[in-house]
Amino acid sequence: MLDLRQIRYFVAVAEAGNVGRAAEQLHISQSPLSRQIIQLEEQLGVALFERAKQRVHLNAEGRAFLAEARALLANAARLEELGRNLASGATGSLAIGYVEGAVHSGLVADMLRDFRRARPDFHLQLRSRRTAAQFEDLRQRVLDLGFVYAPAPQGDPDIESILVRREPLVLAIPEGDPLADVADIAPGHLNGRVWITVVRQPGDTNRAQFLAACAESGFMPNIAYETADPLTSLGLVSAGMGLATVQESLRSTAPPGVIFRDLPWFKRSVSIHLAWRRNDGRAVIGDLRDAVSRGVGE
C-alpha cells in the first residue's frame, strides 16, 4: 500500500529538482526526505531519479510515475474535502419516501426547493411508497425520511413522526350535476348517489373508513367505481361518472368540468406525517425536520 506522504515528498522533489530545496518547502530535514524517497523506490522496485551531485532528475520511469502521482494527490484532496462536507451535511445522499398526498399538498416540492437552495450538492432519491412499506424501509435503512399518511405506531422503538399537514376533504361534482347549483350541500343530498373512491392496494382500509364516515354523517353512498389515485377519480368525475371526495389541495389541479364544494360536517381529512429513525442523529436529518416544521408553521 502506497504512503500518501511519500507520494507528496516525491512530487515535491520532482518539481524542485533538488532535495534540499524540496525539504525547505516541506519544512522537514533533508536526510529524512532522502530516506523517504529511497524507501518509495525500494517499495516500487524501480528507480525514479537520476542523481548527480546536488541535483536529481526524473528518469523516464519517474516522469511516468509523476503524472499518476499528481492525479492521486488531487483525488486524495477531493476525497478529503468530500469527507469534511459529509461531516458537515453539505453533501451526501438521502432516500425519501412519499405518499401521493404529500405531492398533491405541495409538501414534497416545498421541501425540495428549500433543501436544494441550502445544499445544492446533496443528492436526493424520491421513492413512492405506501405508508406501511415506508415504516419498514426506514427500519431497514432503505429510506432516511418518509412522508406517510399515518403517525408512527405508538411506542415504536425505531420510528418517530410528526404531523406536518392536515387537509379537509372536499366534494368533487360534475359540472352539469344538479348538486352544482346547491350552495350548502347536506347529507341528504348525497344519499344513494353514485360515488368514486380510491383503493390503493389490496387490503386498503380506505373504503371501509370512507363508508364509516358517510354513515356517521348521515348518508349512504353507492360506490360504483374504485381507482388507484385521486387524480384518476377526478377524471371520472369530470366525465360525469359520479361524485368523489379529495383533499383540498387538488382543487387547483383538477381537470375541466369539476366543481368543488366544502363539506364542513364530513368528519374526514387527509393527514401527512414526516417519519424518521429515532437513532438517526445526522445534522441533515434534523435540518430537514426543522425545515418541514417551519413550513407547517408558516
Side-chain angles (χ1 to χ4, degrees):
M1 180 69 68
L2 291 176
D3 185 336
L4 280 180
R5 181 184 58 175
Q6 290 180 339
I7 299 299
R8 291 191 182 95
Y9 289 172
F10 162 75
V11 172
V13 172
E15 292 178 345
N18 182 281
V19 176
R21 190 157 53 246
E24 291 178 4
Q25 294 171 355
L26 294 168
H27 305 291
I28 62 173
S29 299
Q30 183 172 340
S31 294
L33 177 58
S34 296
R35 285 198 300 271
Q36 289 294 327
I37 297 299
I38 293 172
Q39 288 176 7
L40 175 63
E41 290 177 317
E42 290 175 349
Q43 182 179 353
L44 295 173
V46 63
L48 301 173
F49 293 98
E50 295 177 358
R51 293 164 172 84
K53 295 185 179 180
Q54 299 299 317
R55 295 190 60 82
V56 292
H57 300 278
L58 287 172
N59 57 24
E61 292 80 6
R63 287 191 294 273
F65 190 76
L66 177 61
E68 294 299 326
R70 284 170 170 161
L72 176 61
L73 292 178
N75 286 333
R78 284 194 292 270
L79 185 61
E80 185 177 1
E81 182 180 5
L82 173 63
R84 287 195 295 267
N85 289 335
L86 287 171
S88 67
T91 190
S93 177
L94 287 177
I96 300 176
Y98 65 91
V99 291
E100 77 270 5
V103 176
H104 300 326
S105 67
L107 279 169
V108 174
D110 290 345
M111 179 204 66
L112 288 176
R113 182 177 58 253
D114 295 344
F115 190 81
R116 185 59 61 200
R117 188 162 47 234
R119 288 181 169 86
D121 296 326
F122 225 94
H123 178 61
L124 295 181
Q125 304 172 14
L126 297 178
R127 300 175 182 176
S128 176
R129 295 281 196 278
R130 303 192 307 274
T131 294
Q134 288 193 53
F135 287 149
E136 184 59 28
D137 285 348
L138 284 168
R139 291 188 180 90
Q140 298 299 324
R141 299 181 178 274
V142 176
L143 291 179
D144 298 293
L145 286 167
F147 288 98
V148 292
Y149 283 124
Q154 189 170 7
D156 192 302
D158 303 314
I159 309 297
E160 286 188 86
S161 65
I162 56 172
L163 175 67
V164 293
R165 184 69 55 86
R166 176 174 282 127
E167 289 188 52
L169 293 179
V170 294
L171 179 66
I173 308 167
E175 196 170 46
D177 192 280
L179 283 178
D181 298 325
V182 179
D184 296 318
I185 294 176
H189 292 113
L190 305 178
N191 195 46
R193 291 294 307 269
V194 172
W195 281 77
I196 304 154
T197 62
V198 174
V199 177
R200 295 181 180 87
Q201 75 276 338
D204 187 12
T205 60
N206 186 59
R207 179 188 175 105
Q209 292 171 351
F210 174 70
L211 288 172
C214 293
E216 184 180 355
S217 299
F219 71 96
M220 185 57 63
N222 173 20
I223 299 177
Y225 304 100
E226 294 179 342
T227 67
D229 62 85
L231 288 177
T232 302
S233 295
L234 287 176
L236 294 182
V237 173
S238 176
M241 305 300 290
L243 310 177
T245 54
V246 295
Q247 66 191 90
E248 188 176 34
S249 55
L250 284 172
R251 288 179 187 262
S252 60
T253 56
V258 179
I259 295 174
F260 293 96
R261 292 287 184 270
D262 294 330
L263 299 177
W265 43 264
F266 192 60
K267 306 303 181 185
R268 201 155 182 254
S269 60
V270 172
S271 298
I272 306 295
H273 304 256
L274 182 67
W276 66 92
R277 284 187 299 278
R278 287 183 182 274
N279 61 356
D280 195 336
R282 287 176 292 173
V284 64
I285 297 296
D287 290 347
L288 267 172
R289 291 200 308 264
D290 293 343
V292 173
S293 298
R294 284 195 302 271
V296 174
E298 296 167 359

